[in-house]
Amino acid sequence: YKHQIWRLFTSTFLCSGVLTYLMVALFSLKYMSQIEKKMHNSKVFAVIFAFIMMGVNLAYACSGNGASCASVPQVIGLSCFSISLSKSNDTPSDDVCTNYPEPWRFMLLCLLLTTVVFPFNSWIMLVSSVVIGFAMAPLLIRRRTGIITENRKQESVRLRRIPTFTLAGIYTFVLILISSSARTPQEVYTYPYYTGCNLGYSTDVGAFVDNYVSDQ
């Protein structure tokens, strides 16, 4: 909307209501901190968070609808990422801590609620969050055995450079493409009574005249 690029970022922190806010708060409290802690690399976690955020919002923007509340798709994407990360391991070993959260029930509950109870949520954002979330771990993450703590090996995660920069380049290209082709809204839509909004009925013609004069 009018090349307001920041909407692709700020929409991730918007909730459509109290229930969706509680869903996001529950995930943040129960799972998000665990995922970041298990990764032992806050920078990599931040990059994954940003890739999911931008991917979901760019997918929605490609449909021509601009930006929307993306907090629930974001936590769904992070849930899928954690599940995918728990299944992948570059260095399998019994000594390595690999018990990443697998919030299958939370993820499926979010999808059920957002498609049945909250049908106004975009299916484009929901589907893209699942696809991007599951793709992030095998595509970008390299898991390796790291430091030894309390007689147990703690793994560390790193980003695969080539896939990371390639994905960042794709996102940048799509962002430029969307920004250059975005249509500026017609000014007529800033006046509700021109588009049929805020209609009213009255037999007093003077009331409509007075309202029109006051708006001018």
Side-chain angles (χ1 to χ4, degrees):
Y1 179 79
K2 292 185 177 181
H3 305 287
Q4 297 174 356
I5 305 300
W6 60 85
R7 289 175 179 264
L8 296 174
F9 304 92
T10 56
S11 61
T12 304
F13 304 98
L14 295 178
C15 297
S16 57
V18 176
L19 292 179
T20 54
Y21 173 81
L22 292 176
M23 292 165 58
V24 174
L26 175 63
F27 177 83
S28 301
L29 180 65
K30 190 172 182 180
Y31 296 112
M32 190 179 297
S33 58
Q34 287 189 42
I35 298 172
E36 183 178 3
K37 184 178 180 180
K38 296 289 184 181
M39 292 176 68
H40 296 284
N41 196 324
S42 297
K43 293 181 180 179
V44 174
F45 176 80
V47 171
I48 295 298
F49 186 97
F51 272 134
I52 295 175
M53 173 181 65
M54 287 299 298
V56 170
N57 284 295
L58 285 175
Y60 185 72
C62 286
S63 66
N65 295 319
S68 181
C69 299
S71 56
V72 173
Q74 179 72 20
V75 300
I76 291 176
L78 286 173
S79 299
C80 296
F81 166 74
S82 182
I83 295 170
S84 178
L85 188 60
S86 67
K87 302 301 182 183
S88 63
N89 195 347
D90 296 337
T91 56
S93 173
D94 294 335
D95 298 330
V96 180
C97 300
T98 57
N99 54 333
Y100 285 92
E102 297 185 38
W104 280 103
R105 287 179 293 181
F106 179 85
M107 187 264 292
L108 294 175
L109 178 62
C110 285
L111 286 174
L112 180 64
L113 289 176
T114 50
T115 53
V116 178
V117 182
F118 312 126
F120 49 82
N121 285 274
S122 170
W123 65 268
I124 296 176
M125 302 185 80
L126 297 175
V127 172
S128 61
S129 67
V130 173
V131 174
I132 294 172
F134 277 119
M136 285 294 101
L139 181 65
L140 302 183
I141 297 298
R142 177 184 289 111
R143 297 171 60 177
R144 291 182 176 179
T145 302
I147 58 174
I148 299 179
T149 351
E150 298 179 357
N151 298 324
R152 298 192 67 185
K153 296 179 181 178
Q154 297 286 350
E155 70 173 22
S156 61
V157 295
R158 295 291 184 271
L159 290 171
R160 303 178 189 272
R161 290 189 177 182
I162 295 178
T164 300
F165 285 111
T166 301
L167 185 58
I170 294 174
Y171 279 9
T172 303
F173 174 77
V174 174
L175 179 59
I176 294 174
L177 189 64
I178 292 175
S179 300
S180 60
S181 61
R183 294 177 299 177
T184 302
Q186 298 182 17
E187 291 298 328
V188 68
Y189 294 118
T190 61
Y191 302 96
Y193 50 83
Y194 285 161
T195 59
C197 300
N198 298 334
L199 292 179
Y201 174 81
S202 176
T203 57
D204 185 4
V205 179
F208 289 101
V209 174
D210 292 339
N211 289 334
Y212 179 79
V213 172
S214 63
D215 290 336
Q216 298 301 317

